[in-house]
């Protein structure tokens, strides 16, 4: 278009005439036609695509939730999000429109001016109007999306449940800080942000309108009233912010401990209240100034407010802290240290820990072995890492199966309470042969894993491999598995389609395969071509649309990973890193521990967790049970005293079940979760100190011990074990971990959490004497390295090129002392098939390495070899010589019987024979004198 064409077009758009000139039509309508024929249709199509994509997302999500029976959960979430979004959009859009209307009414564009003979006031008015409306629209969208994102907090706010505790500064229930204060803060900040933006926009519009009229700035009372009203609202919102800041003092990090300290509870609190008062006074000044000339009054109010913020809000608390608190810190901060200790212990459940003294005698006696057969029969000799490699070598059966994790649990097998290790045989479709990597194979035929492997923790075959209670395909052994298919697991990240015309692979049988048809009810039925179109779009896979093997009976299974599946239904729960497999009534289930967490617990010390973020409160409130076959989920509430889970129960009553509804056979397999135990242990390292002075001086800080793995020192992990707790009532399944003093290696305490029956969740801490050295794990490792016999054997293996793997060093408390047990594995350079070769046992000052646990125990207990008497025989017969021969024979007999009992795992018999042998040897020593 030529310049003259644009000039004509501009005149036409302006809708007016140049002075003295008639209106001329544009010579060309190319721009208008382009806008009508291309911009508007393409823009409309784009908007329709966005809306269709949103509708598709909502509908497919609804179908998935409905297939699980949780459609009500999803609908409540969507309705809440949409309602909040609409409310936020309408509120801000109306607020913006109202202020735009006032600006246009109070400062209209009246002066006419021309460019190239074209009067531009009309076009500018229309342009400004369109720009303002678009700006208000997009600003409202942004603010509405922020409101919609608060759906979870709003639902909790509407369903507040008490925690049963109060904080000491304002005597507010903890629920106020967890549920209500965040919403009050959000509303205050949302409104403050909205009004500040609107105030600035109105100020700009007034200036812009006046600038177009050659800067004839008429600051009328009406305009001043409009801006003042906005300023009043902003200052009042600042005042509300200061009020909320006073409650946030319980999260202060400026003192000696987390939470309000002396200067916070006195100087900072006073400063915030003064700042709040000054914000209100400034608002009053702004309001009064509407009826006065000039801006002196509001300028004075704002100056006083800023000055108060600097002098009282910043300088005064710092002066109090430096010149009053620091010289007398312990005395002045003691009440606040007590608050921090008490509420931190509450928040992490440390107040539930029962502390006991542990004598920590030098060595375990044979009598202790006799009294604890259940413990001795369940000492774990298999480290999960080399055991997983072993499973993958000897039990994966086919290249497309994989064992990704090894779990620890307990079962009653042959009438005995046994600790076992088990692992699911999951499908790894990425390991199919290259030519088999087809869409049909990966989506329709190879759909599930198969079975599991179970081994007792103490048993080893002659080749150094684990004895297996359950093995092979189909699974066979001491635990019956009737439904071994694993459609849902830890590796199942892809969607699959079942019940198609294509044969679904079940398991290999020799040179052929066995096929199956899915019998579960989970998954979304692809009952119509419309649904196939939606899921082809959802997964970006046109094969769902084109494949001819799919029928109306076919179902698509997705969100099959355990973490992803649970998180999708309950995104407000944090998940333990290790879901574990349970075999129950021939079925395979996953138990996923889930936590409720917050960082809003007053005075509680925050912890930065690598997966949970910053938290200062945690409860293992939920156990989620997921069927490995059909993916059905049940959420059992394990800690109804938790205010957070009580709120979610009120929000989603159909989602959660009481723990009493869990089948007893399933409840027998719940275990105290490792992630929670580690977090509690991390906090207990410091917060076992309840005396404020000891805590202030950090006199008794603990640390996690370390041990060796693959030649490197690494933190010792908590471990599950069946044992008889000191003062307990029989063997039980626990998780435990020792502690050492900070920067030292000796053992100072150990902590345990119980898992069985009514004792589930009980926490115990056993404190060692501080007046003598008790070897810690790393000190035992050092002594193992220094043992000449062990070092010689390690040297021989190293020279042969084999890799030595030192398994987990386990501390096993028995009665009043502790054993240390470390398995030694050997792995050749040519294969990843570790073999259990030796067992090292440390007892007091004795360390021994044997082929079996029984042999190593016999060595450290003094029964490693038959008693031998050296020296020439007596030259003359005597009654004593006859006694000596009898005693030697008796000791030999007791030794042989002790070895037989060890082989049978009869620790009671072993202990009795060991004691009898010791008596015979003592009598022999007396006779020799």
């Amino acid at each position: 278009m030529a310049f003259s064409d644009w000039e004509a077009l501009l005149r036409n758009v302006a809708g007016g005439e140049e002075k003295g000139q008639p209106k001329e039509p544009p010579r060309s309508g190319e721009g208008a036609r382009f806008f009508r024929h291309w911009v508007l249709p393409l823009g409309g199509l784009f908007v329709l695509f966005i809306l269709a994509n949103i509708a598709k997302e909502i509908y497919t999500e609804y179908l998935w939730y409905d297939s699980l029976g949780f459609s009500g959960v999803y609908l409540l979430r969507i309705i809440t999000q949409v309602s909040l979004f609409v409310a936020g959009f309408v509120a801000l859009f109306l607020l913006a429109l109202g202020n735009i209307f006032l600006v246009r009414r109070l400062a209209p564009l009246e002066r006419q001016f021309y460019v190239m003979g074209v009067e531009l006031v009309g076009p500018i008015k229309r342009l400004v109007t369109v720009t303002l409306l678009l700006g208000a629209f997009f600003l409202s969208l942004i603010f509405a999306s922020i409101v919609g994102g608060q759906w979870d907090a709003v639902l909790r706010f509407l369903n507040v449940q008490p925690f049963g505790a109060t904080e000491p500064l304002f005597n507010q229930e903890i629920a106020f800080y967890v549920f209500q204060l965040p919403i009050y803060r959000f509303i205050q900040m949302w409104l403050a942000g909205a009004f500040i933006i609107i105030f600035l926009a109105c100020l700009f519009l007034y200036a812009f309108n006046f600038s177009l009229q050659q800067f004839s700035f008429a600051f009328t009372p009406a305009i001043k009233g409009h801006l003042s009203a906005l300023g009043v609202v902003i200052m009042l919102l600042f005042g509300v912010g200061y009020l909320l800041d006073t409650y946030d003092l319980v999260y202060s990090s400026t003192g000696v401990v987390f939470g309000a300290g002396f200067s916070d509870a006195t100087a900072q609190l006073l400063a915030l209240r003064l700042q709040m008062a000054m914000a209100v006074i400034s608002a009053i000044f702004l309001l009064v100034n509407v009826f006065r000339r000039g801006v002196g009054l509001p300028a004075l109010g704002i100056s006083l407010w800023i000055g108060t913020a600097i002098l009282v809000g910043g300088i005064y608390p710092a002066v109090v802290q430096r010149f009053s608190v620091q010289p007398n810190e312990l005395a002045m901060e003691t009440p606040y240290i007590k608050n921090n200790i008490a509420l931190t212990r509450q928040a992490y459940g440390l107040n539930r820990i029962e502390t006991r003294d542990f004598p920590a005698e030098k060595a375990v006696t044979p009598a202790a072995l006799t009294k604890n057969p259940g413990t001795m029969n369940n000492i774990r000799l298999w480290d999960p890492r080399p055991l997983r490699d072993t499973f993958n070598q000897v039990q994966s059966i086919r290249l497309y199966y994989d064992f990704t994790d090894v779990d620890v649990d307990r079962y009653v097998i042959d009438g005995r309470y046994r600790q076992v290790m088990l692992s699911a045989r999951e499908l790894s479709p990425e390991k199919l042969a290259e030519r088999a990597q087809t869409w049909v194979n990966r989506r329709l035929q190879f759909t599930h894993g198969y079975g599991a492997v179970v081994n007792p923790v103490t048993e080893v075959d002659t080749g150094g491999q684990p004895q297996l209670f359950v093995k092979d395909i189909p699974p066979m052994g001491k635990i019956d598995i009737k439904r071994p298919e694993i459609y849902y697991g830890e590796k199942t990240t892809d969607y699959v389609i079942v019940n198609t015309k294509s044969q679904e692979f079940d398991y290999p049988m020799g040179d052929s395969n066995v096929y199956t048809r899915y019998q579960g009810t989970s998954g979304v039925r692809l009952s119509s071509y419309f649904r196939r179109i939606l899921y082809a779009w959802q997964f970006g896979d046109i094969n769902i649309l084109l494949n001819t093997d799919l029928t109306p009976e076919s179902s698509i299974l997705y969100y099959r990973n355990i973490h992803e599946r649970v998180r999708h239904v309950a995104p407000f729960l944090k998940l333990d890193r290790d879901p574990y497999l349970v075999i129950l009534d021939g079925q395979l289930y996953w138990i996923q521990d889930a936590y409720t967490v917050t960082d809003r617990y007053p005075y509680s010390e925050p912890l930065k967790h690598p997966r949970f973020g910053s938290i200062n409160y945690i409860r293992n409130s939920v156990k989620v049970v997921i069927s490995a076959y059909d993916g059905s989920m049940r959420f059992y509430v394990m800690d109804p005293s938790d205010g957070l889970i009580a709120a979610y129960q009120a929000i989603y009553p159909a989602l959660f079940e009481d723990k009493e509804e869990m089948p007893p056979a399933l409840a027998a397999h719940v275990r105290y979760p490792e992630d929670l135990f580690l977090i509690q242990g991390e906090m207990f390292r410091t917060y076992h100190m309840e005396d404020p002075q000891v805590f202030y001086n950090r006199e008794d800080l603990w640390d996690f011990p370390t041990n060796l793995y693959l030649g490197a020192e690494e933190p010792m992990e908590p471990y599950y074990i069946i044992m008889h707790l000191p003062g307990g009532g029989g063997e039980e399944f626990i998780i435990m971990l020792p502690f050492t003093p900070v920067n030292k290696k000796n053992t100072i305490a150990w902590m345990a959490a119980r898992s069985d029956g009514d004792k589930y969740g009980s926490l115990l801490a056993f404190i060692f004497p501080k007046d003598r050295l008790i070897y810690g794990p790393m000190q035992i490792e050092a002594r193992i390295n220094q043992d000449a016999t062990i070092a010689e054997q390690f040297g021989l293996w190293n020279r042969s090129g084999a890799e030595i793997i030192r398994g987990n060093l386990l501390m096993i408390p028995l009665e009043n002392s502790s054993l240390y047990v470390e398995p030694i594995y050997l792995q050749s350079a040519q294969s990843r098939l570790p073999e259990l070769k030796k067992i090292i046992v440390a007892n007091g000052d004795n360390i021994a390495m044997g082929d079996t646990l029984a042999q190593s125990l016999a060595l450290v207990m003094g029964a490693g070899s038959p008693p031998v008497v050296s020296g020439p025989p007596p030259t003359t017969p005597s009654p004593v010589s006859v006694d000596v021969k009898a005693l030697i024979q008796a000791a030999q007999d007791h030794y042989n019987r002790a070895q037989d009992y060890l082989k049978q795992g009869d620790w009671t018999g072993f202990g009795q024979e060991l004691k009898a042998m010791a008596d015979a040897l003592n009598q022999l020593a007396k006779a020799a004198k």
Side-chain angles (χ1 to χ4, degrees):
M1 296 174 66
F3 179 80
S4 57
D5 295 330
W6 284 110
E7 185 178 0
L9 178 63
L10 191 58
R11 287 196 188 97
N12 184 61
V13 172
E17 301 178 2
E18 187 180 354
K19 284 188 177 181
Q21 297 291 332
K23 181 171 62 175
E24 295 181 9
R27 300 178 207 169
S28 174
E30 293 179 18
R33 285 198 300 272
F34 177 80
F35 184 80
R36 288 195 305 270
H37 294 167
W38 293 99
V39 175
L40 283 178
L42 289 176
L45 286 175
F46 179 74
V47 171
L48 285 176
F49 175 80
I50 296 297
L51 293 176
N53 192 56
I54 294 172
K56 177 265 300 178
E57 194 74 29
I58 292 174
Y59 182 60
T60 54
E61 286 289 279
Y62 174 80
L63 291 175
W64 184 82
Y65 277 89
D66 190 55
S67 72
L68 291 168
F70 295 147
S71 57
V73 173
Y74 182 65
L75 288 176
L76 175 61
R77 188 177 306 163
I78 285 296
I79 289 171
T80 305
Q81 286 178 300
V82 172
S83 300
L84 290 173
F85 180 89
V86 171
F89 180 87
V90 171
L92 191 63
F93 194 67
L94 290 178
L95 187 64
L97 282 183
N99 281 274
I100 291 171
F101 173 78
L102 281 175
V103 170
R104 296 293 297 271
R105 187 70 178 268
L106 299 177
L109 285 173
E110 296 177 346
R111 183 184 180 90
Q112 293 184 336
F113 60 94
Y114 300 85
V115 175
M116 296 181 297
V118 180
E119 199 281 312
L120 292 182
V121 171
I124 290 176
K125 281 184 177 181
R126 288 191 287 274
L127 179 62
V128 169
T129 300
V130 171
T131 302
L132 289 176
L133 290 175
L134 287 175
F137 178 80
F138 285 111
L139 185 66
S140 299
L141 282 180
I142 294 170
F143 273 69
S145 65
I146 295 172
V147 176
Q150 295 296 310
W151 64 270
D152 185 53
V154 170
L155 287 174
R156 290 189 300 177
F157 176 81
L158 297 175
N159 294 272
V160 174
Q161 300 294 321
F163 280 74
T166 58
E167 52 81 23
L169 186 61
F170 301 106
N171 291 317
Q172 290 280 357
E173 224 281 348
I174 302 299
F176 169 77
Y177 294 94
V178 175
F179 299 121
Q180 296 171 307
L181 185 58
I183 291 296
Y184 296 151
R185 172 67 74 183
F186 173 78
I187 294 172
Q188 181 264 331
M189 294 184 67
W190 190 87
L191 288 175
F195 273 96
I196 289 172
I197 291 174
I198 288 172
F199 176 83
L200 294 175
C202 290
L203 192 62
F204 171 79
L205 286 174
Y206 281 128
F208 179 75
N209 284 358
F210 288 128
S211 70
L212 292 179
Q213 303 191 58
Q214 297 182 356
F215 299 98
S216 174
F217 197 87
F219 200 66
T220 65
I223 293 175
K224 187 167 69 170
H226 179 205
L227 295 176
S228 295
L230 292 174
V232 167
V233 174
I234 292 170
M235 294 309 300
L236 289 177
L237 287 170
F238 282 167
V240 173
Y242 288 125
L243 174 62
L244 299 178
D245 286 342
T246 62
Y247 292 107
D248 281 340
L249 289 175
V250 297
Y251 308 115
S252 172
S253 58
T254 59
V256 67
V257 291
F258 187 79
F262 180 85
S263 62
D264 295 311
T266 54
Q268 192 66 51
L269 182 59
L270 175 62
L272 287 171
R273 287 173 175 171
L274 286 174
Q275 288 173 270
M276 179 174 62
M278 292 310 303
V280 173
I281 291 172
S282 298
I284 295 172
F285 283 1
L286 279 168
L287 191 60
V288 171
N289 192 65
V290 174
F291 309 100
R292 294 167 52 91
R293 291 186 176 182
V295 293
L297 199 58
L300 174 63
I302 293 175
S303 299
L304 290 174
W305 168 56
I306 295 174
T308 303
I310 295 172
L311 295 175
V312 182
I315 297 175
Y316 173 58
V319 169
V320 171
Q321 178 69 26
R322 175 62 186 88
F323 295 102
S324 181
V325 176
Q326 285 188 10
N328 309 283
E329 194 167 56
L330 178 58
M332 301 186 78
E333 296 284 11
T334 292
Y336 305 99
I337 294 174
K338 288 181 179 179
N339 293 339
N340 172 264
I341 293 173
L343 273 81
T344 298
R345 288 173 61 85
Q346 285 179 20
Y348 291 97
L350 307 184
N351 57 335
R352 304 177 184 179
I353 298 176
E354 179 186 348
T355 302
R356 300 178 183 176
D357 291 329
F358 189 77
E361 294 175 358
K362 188 171 183 180
V364 172
T365 64
L369 301 183
T370 302
K371 292 180 181 178
N372 296 276
T375 303
M376 302 307 298
N377 282 326
N378 287 285
I379 293 177
R380 179 162 63 84
L381 304 180
W382 288 102
D383 186 289
R385 290 167 288 190
L387 183 61
R388 182 186 60 193
D389 291 338
T390 299
F391 285 167
N392 277 315
Q393 287 292 325
V394 303
Q395 278 294 306
S396 59
I397 310 297
R398 291 289 191 272
L399 58 87
Y400 40 76
Y401 288 127
D402 212 353
F403 295 94
T404 60
D405 185 38
V406 178
D407 300 312
V408 180
D409 201 357
R410 70 282 197 201
Y411 290 79
V412 176
I413 299 175
D414 296 331
R416 296 170 61 190
Y417 193 47
R418 302 296 302 272
Q419 184 176 348
V420 302
M421 306 182 81
L422 66 165
S423 184
R425 185 184 290 106
E426 295 202 56
L427 183 72
S428 294
E430 70 277 4
K431 292 185 177 181
L432 288 168
E434 184 176 354
R435 291 188 177 182
Q437 292 287 340
T438 65
W439 186 86
V440 171
N441 276 344
R442 297 197 59 162
R443 304 300 187 189
L444 309 185
Q445 292 191 353
F446 289 87
T447 58
H448 58 273
Y450 203 85
V453 177
V454 182
N455 71 288
V457 296
T458 55
E459 297 184 18
V460 187
D461 66 18
T462 55
Q465 300 302 315
Q467 294 278 10
L468 299 179
F469 280 173
V470 177
K471 61 181 179 179
D472 298 340
I473 297 177
M476 55 187 297
K478 294 180 178 292
I479 304 175
D480 188 28
I481 302 180
K482 300 175 183 176
R483 179 61 79 183
E485 297 91 345
I486 302 174
Y487 286 88
Y488 300 86
E490 296 182 86
K491 280 184 66 69
T492 48
T493 55
D494 297 331
Y495 77 86
V496 296
I497 302 175
V498 296
N499 294 339
T500 67
K501 295 177 185 177
S502 180
Q503 286 186 310
E504 185 181 342
F505 171 78
D506 198 20
Y507 62 89
M509 178 70 75
D511 294 332
S512 62
N513 294 327
V514 175
Y515 297 92
T516 187
R517 189 170 179 84
Y518 183 66
Q519 303 295 320
T521 57
S522 67
V524 177
R525 289 275 298 277
L526 299 177
S527 56
S528 66
Y529 206 71
F530 176 68
R531 288 191 178 185
R532 291 175 64 175
I533 293 173
L534 288 180
Y535 279 100
W537 185 5
Q538 176 77 4
F539 292 107
D541 192 343
I542 197 172
N543 290 304
I544 297 174
L545 196 59
L546 301 179
N547 185 270
T548 57
D549 288 334
L550 273 61
T551 73
E553 301 299 319
S554 300
S555 294
I556 185 167
L557 313 182
Y558 58 106
Y559 298 140
R560 298 193 300 139
N561 176 268
I562 296 302
H563 277 174
E564 183 183 27
R565 193 169 184 81
V566 175
R567 194 176 290 120
H568 210 70
V569 172
F572 44 84
L573 296 176
K574 301 294 184 182
L575 305 183
D576 192 272
R577 60 183 166 178
D578 184 25
Y580 60 98
L581 191 69
V582 171
I583 305 172
L584 180 66
D585 298 330
Q587 309 282 327
L588 298 180
Y589 296 93
W590 297 96
I591 295 183
Q592 173 67 67
D593 285 287
Y595 308 104
T596 47
V597 302
T598 183
D599 61 352
R600 303 295 302 170
Y601 204 93
Y603 280 97
S604 177
E605 186 71 26
L607 173 72
K608 289 186 178 180
H609 192 272
R611 287 178 297 109
F612 302 163
S614 179
I615 63 172
N616 69 353
Y617 172 92
I618 184 169
R619 289 291 185 271
N620 175 215
S621 298
V622 179
K623 305 277 188 185
V624 188
V625 180
I626 306 102
S627 168
Y629 183 71
D630 64 18
S632 59
M633 292 182 283
R634 301 184 71 175
F635 293 74
Y636 294 101
V637 175
M638 303 300 292
D639 189 354
S641 65
D642 169 36
L644 278 167
I645 200 60
Y648 284 120
Q649 276 187 288
I651 297 168
Y652 307 111
L655 179 62
F656 295 102
E657 303 177 57
D658 294 335
K659 62 181 178 181
E660 289 78 16
E661 297 180 39
M662 180 182 289
L666 184 62
H669 291 282
V670 299
R671 66 184 195 184
Y672 202 84
E674 184 176 345
D675 276 354
L676 176 60
F677 189 74
L678 268 174
I679 289 171
Q680 290 177 315
E682 174 67 29
M683 300 309 297
F684 195 62
R685 294 190 310 111
T686 303
Y687 284 88
H688 67 275
M689 297 181 286
E690 297 185 67
D691 181 271
Q693 184 168 349
V694 174
F695 186 93
Y696 175 80
N697 293 322
R698 297 296 198 265
E699 296 176 22
D700 192 22
L701 282 175
W702 295 350
D703 205 350
F704 291 138
T706 56
N707 63 355
L708 295 177
Y709 185 78
L710 293 178
E713 187 174 348
E714 62 179 27
M716 195 172 185
E717 296 181 349
Y719 49 94
Y720 293 98
I721 182 173
I722 290 178
M723 66 170 288
H724 174 84
L725 284 168
E731 281 75 22
E732 55 185 295
F733 189 69
I734 68 166
I735 185 172
M736 64 166 289
L737 184 67
F739 293 98
T740 63
V742 70
N743 298 324
K744 293 186 178 181
K745 301 297 184 181
N746 58 292
T747 303
I748 192 66
W750 59 280
M751 188 171 83
R754 298 166 128 168
S755 295
D756 288 347
D758 294 337
K759 298 175 183 176
Y760 175 83
S762 299
L763 293 163
L764 299 168
F766 296 88
I767 312 301
F768 288 11
K770 298 181 181 179
D771 57 356
R772 65 180 185 274
L773 173 69
I774 296 100
Y775 289 125
M778 203 58 206
Q779 291 172 323
I780 296 294
E781 296 277 26
R783 292 181 59 212
I784 291 172
N785 290 338
Q786 294 163 6
D787 185 275
T789 303
I790 296 174
E792 181 181 2
Q793 182 62 68
F794 283 2
L796 287 173
W797 283 333
N798 283 327
R799 287 192 290 275
S800 70
E803 181 182 17
I804 301 170
I805 302 174
R806 294 169 66 163
N808 293 136
L809 178 66
L810 304 182
M811 187 183 86
I812 314 294
L814 286 168
E815 298 296 318
N816 295 325
S817 188
S818 300
L819 282 174
Y820 281 93
V821 177
E822 181 174 272
I824 304 298
Y825 310 93
L826 207 60
Q827 180 174 273
S828 70
Q830 289 76 32
S831 70
R832 295 186 61 84
L833 184 60
E835 296 178 359
L836 180 58
K837 284 297 184 183
K838 299 288 183 181
I839 310 293
I840 297 175
V841 175
N843 183 34
D845 292 331
N846 298 328
I847 292 180
M849 183 172 71
D851 294 331
T852 64
L853 176 62
Q855 187 182 74
S856 299
L857 281 168
L859 289 168
V860 296
M861 291 292 177
S865 57
V868 176
V869 177
S870 58
T875 55
T876 56
S878 69
V880 175
S881 65
V882 175
D883 293 338
V884 169
K885 290 180 181 179
L887 289 171
I888 292 173
Q889 186 59 48
Q892 179 70 60
D893 291 343
H894 289 308
Y895 168 79
N896 291 335
R897 284 195 289 271
Q899 292 295 314
D900 291 338
Y901 282 129
L902 276 173
K903 293 176 182 177
Q904 299 168 18
D906 187 344
W907 297 99
T908 301
F910 171 75
Q912 291 172 346
E913 292 298 332
L914 202 62
K915 185 177 183 302
M917 189 192 76
D919 292 341
L921 291 175
N922 288 333
Q923 294 179 39
L924 183 61
K926 291 178 181 178
K929 294 179 180 178

